[in-house]
Every structure is written in structure tokens, then in C-alpha cells.
Amino acid sequence: MTGEPTNRKIGRALWMGALCILAGSYYGLESTYGRNVQGLQAVSQSDYVATLRNRKLIANAGKARALAAELEQRLQPVMRATSSSATVATFLQDLDALAKVNGCQLLSLAPAQSQPTSTAAPVAPARKASMRFPYAPLVDADVIVRGSYPGLLRFLRAMSSGRILVEVKSVSLAIVPHEGPRGNAPLDATIHVTIFHYAPSTDGTAS
Amino acid sequence: MESERPVFLRRMREFTIPPRLRAGAFAVGAATGIAAAAWAIESYRLADAELVASRYHAQYEQSALAVAQAKLVFTNVAQLEQSADRVRRIQISGARTAKTVAQIGNNIPARAWVTSESVDERGIILSGKASDFHTLSREISQANRYSAELRRASRGRRSADAWPVDYELHLQRLP
């Protein structure tokens, strides 16, 4: 009759073994596969989110390309003459034509005493290095034009929007002594300008 | 004629689990089966997760390359915008100056006269003649958008002159 208690012990041991197998498997699966799967899922999730974010940026790049083309087109009318003599020659030609169109007379174009400077767009020092403005001041000049008040105003309005980039820095108007009614007196306008020329940098982009 | 069965096969056929141990043995077998199935499922899940992760990572790397190219475009656009903006400001400098000159011209009272006008970034210098000091004071008071500083005002000696008062005004744009 000793077989009965032994069988009972073996039976219990079997149940314990089954429980141990289940618990061990659960622990083993959780510590190896479970953690790895969770880690991989987290990596996939972050890659997915980053990809979505990148795709939004890429979609915006299309718009940016269109904007770049538009900006290039906007800059197109400004002549890209790198030679200083060509720049000044074209400017003189434009000035003369502009004066004739507005009933004025171009009296002189002479380099000013001061150094060429530009004040049109003061750039913050931190951004100065990154910004590459493709035009550099070539020379400061004084333009003297004679004409009527409205003609000179029209001349002044149009002179900085020609083929050559020119910044009007100051203007002085003075009455020319003449015989006749005071209201019709011609005026001499001395216009101080900075002439710019195209100055691309050596890396082919811009200075 | 049949050869005799091997002993271990015979023994296996003779082997029977005692009835009292059958439930325990079944539990061990079931637990082993469940564990094996769970391991198989988890292996499959891991392989699948690795596959998905590698696909997503490849997509991410591809998009990261495209983003690097897009960033170049953005930089180019930013520089072009700055350039275009600066060019525009230079191009309107003539029109801006002409507008200032016109504004000043339109505000001069009827009985005052400007003989010279100088406009630059610091302000406007007006020199002229006026019929009297009252007219000159009206000219100063009409410079609405400017702070007017009278530099000089003097009456000429010739009494027959219609514009006896010489003046010089310095106008500065108000902030």
C-alpha cells in the first residue's frame, strides 16, 4: 500500500511542474521577446512620426521651390553686370533716356567724395555672415539734373528702379536764377546715389 | 515468420500512466504545449516587429535625405527673400525721396517760397523766402509729420522786396 502516497506526491509534483513551466515561460517570454518587441515598436513609432514630420517638410519644399523661382524672376530685371565700366555706362545711358522722357536735362554725373555705402537694409550683425547679398556698392555718385518740379519728381521716382541697382541717398533742389515768373523757374536737383554692381562670390553663389 | 519486437517498443506498449497521475501529466503536457505555442507566437511577433522597424527606418532614412535637400532649398529661399527685399528697398529709394519732396512742396503756404530743399535720411533742410514772419510760423506749424527746427530767419534790408524774410528750416521725421 506504499504506492498510493507516492503516486499522490508525484501527482502534486506534476501539477507543480506544470505551474513552473507556465510561470517560467511567461517570465522568459516577457524578459526576452516582450521587451524586444516593445523596444522595436517604440523605435518604429518614433521613425514613423519623424517620417511624417519629414514628409510635411518635403511637401513644403515644393512650395519653397516655386517661391524661389518667383523671387529669381523678381530679381531678373536688375542687370547682372559684373564689370564696373559696363555698370556705369548702362546707368549713364538710362539716366540720359530718363531725363529726356521727363523733360529734364542731365547736367552731370560725377563720383562723390565719400566712400560707397549702403543704408537701404541695415543687417543685424548675427545674420550678416549668413546673408549673401549678390550686389555690392560700386561707387557713390552725384547726379545733377535740371528740369521742372514735376519732371524732376518723376525722374527721381524712376531713377532707382532701372536696370542698374541704384540707391537714392539724398536730393537737393535749388532754384536756377532766371528771368520770368517765379513759379516757372527751373530747378537743379543734385541727387546723391550709390551705384551697385553684381558681385557674385568665388563659390558661384553671391558675395 | 515475424522477428521479435524490440524490447523498448514492447516496454512502451506496456507503459501506462496510473489513473491518479493522469491529470497531473495532462497538466504538464498542456503547460508545455501552451508555453511552446506562446514562444512560437512571440518569435513571430518579434520577427514581424523587426521587419516593420526596418521598413520604417528605411522610409525615415529616405525622407531624411529628402529633408536635407529641402533644407538647402529653404536656405536658398531665405537668402533670395533677403536679397529681393533689400533690392526692393533700394529700388523704392527714389520713389520714397520723391514722395517726401512732394509732401514738403504741397505743405508750403501760399506766401512762402522755397529756394532750396535738401532731403536725406537725417531729415530735410529747407531754405527759402517768406512774405513775413507770420507766414513762416504757419509753414512751421504745417509740418505735421516732422519736428521743425528753425535754423535761421532774417528780414532783408530792401523794403521793396516782396519776399523779405530769408529762412532755413530743418525738418526731422517724427518717430
Side-chain angles (χ1 to χ4, degrees):
Chain A
M1 296 300 281
T2 53
E4 198 61 20
T6 310
N7 276 352
R8 200 172 290 161
K9 278 181 189 170
I10 292 170
R12 276 185 199 149
L14 284 172
W15 277 106
M16 287 298 289
L19 283 174
C20 284
I21 287 168
L22 285 176
S25 296
Y26 177 78
Y27 177 76
L29 287 171
E30 195 54 38
S31 61
T32 53
Y33 287 100
R35 279 180 201 165
N36 281 345
V37 168
Q38 275 174 9
L40 284 168
Q41 279 172 346
V43 168
S44 299
Q45 177 73 17
S46 72
D47 278 351
Y48 177 71
V49 171
T51 306
L52 280 185
R53 203 173 46 230
N54 287 349
R55 279 183 185 161
K56 274 184 194 165
L57 268 175
I58 295 161
N60 286 339
K63 289 176 201 161
R65 277 192 194 95
L67 183 62
E70 190 192 315
L71 290 168
E72 282 279 6
Q73 210 165 9
R74 215 186 291 168
L75 288 171
Q76 214 70 63
V78 182
M79 197 171 123
R80 292 186 170 178
T82 48
S83 135
S84 57
S85 54
T87 304
V88 174
T90 311
F91 179 55
L92 186 58
Q93 197 184 342
D94 286 0
L95 274 188
D96 192 42
L98 195 62
K100 278 177 187 155
V101 165
N102 292 297
C104 302
Q105 192 186 357
L106 180 64
L107 297 182
S108 81
L109 167 66
Q113 296 298 318
S114 59
Q115 291 293 313
T117 50
S118 172
T119 52
V123 182
R127 299 182 71 185
K128 211 170 192 173
S130 68
M131 186 183 158
R132 291 176 294 182
F133 187 58
Y135 297 92
L138 175 67
V139 66
D140 275 5
D142 285 326
V143 179
I144 303 177
V145 198
R146 180 170 292 173
S148 64
Y149 181 72
L152 285 175
L153 283 186
R154 284 198 302 271
F155 178 88
L156 197 56
R157 221 172 276 145
M159 79 176 294
S160 62
S161 52
R163 287 183 291 172
I164 300 298
L165 194 60
V166 173
E167 181 187 0
V168 174
K169 304 191 82 179
S170 69
V171 60
S172 295
L173 297 174
I175 294 173
V176 179
H178 86 302
E179 291 169 7
R182 225 167 192 173
N184 297 334
L187 299 165
D188 271 355
T190 305
I191 307 161
H192 186 72
V193 295
T194 300
I195 304 169
F196 289 79
H197 72 137
Y198 189 60
S201 68
T202 48
D203 64 355
T205 48
S207 65
Chain B
M1 289 273 294
E2 268 185 29
S3 61
E4 197 179 350
R5 285 177 188 275
V7 177
F8 72 93
L9 280 178
R10 222 178 336 135
R11 288 248 175 105
M12 271 181 75
R13 288 194 65 157
E14 286 165 5
F15 180 77
T16 52
I17 298 167
R20 290 193 74 95
L21 297 181
R22 276 179 193 163
F26 178 77
V28 168
T32 309
I34 288 168
W39 278 92
I41 289 168
E42 286 298 305
S43 298
Y44 174 78
R45 276 185 65 208
L46 182 65
D48 188 54
E50 277 171 349
L51 188 71
V52 168
S54 69
R55 268 187 206 154
Y56 278 163
H57 193 66
Q59 281 178 6
Y60 166 73
E61 293 216 319
Q62 209 176 349
S63 69
L65 267 177
V67 163
Q69 287 171 343
K71 277 182 180 166
L72 279 177
V73 175
F74 293 143
T75 310
N76 185 33
V77 166
Q79 281 174 357
L80 273 171
E81 266 182 340
Q82 285 180 1
S83 294
D85 188 45
R86 195 167 168 193
V87 164
R88 192 188 61 80
R89 275 189 273 179
I90 290 172
Q91 282 179 328
I92 62 165
S93 61
R96 205 176 45 224
T97 311
K99 192 179 166 190
T100 309
V101 171
Q103 273 174 357
I104 297 297
N106 293 338
N107 281 326
I108 295 169
R111 294 190 63 75
W113 187 252
V114 175
T115 53
S116 93
E117 182 177 344
S118 175
V119 178
D120 64 13
E121 288 144 11
R122 286 161 296 180
I124 299 148
I125 297 172
L126 288 179
S127 302
K129 286 175 173 292
S131 58
D132 47 53
F133 287 109
H134 177 71
T135 308
L136 182 59
S137 79
R138 228 173 53 212
E139 183 173 348
I140 295 169
S141 64
Q142 279 182 7
N144 294 328
R145 288 182 225 165
Y146 300 88
S147 79
E149 179 198 335
L150 184 64
R151 290 259 177 100
R152 175 170 56 83
S154 58
R155 182 179 281 278
R157 299 226 171 117
R158 287 185 300 165
S159 56
D161 196 344
W163 312 89
V165 177
D166 276 317
Y167 69 87
E168 189 178 306
L169 268 180
H170 189 201
L171 306 177
Q172 275 185 313
R173 198 178 282 275
L174 289 171

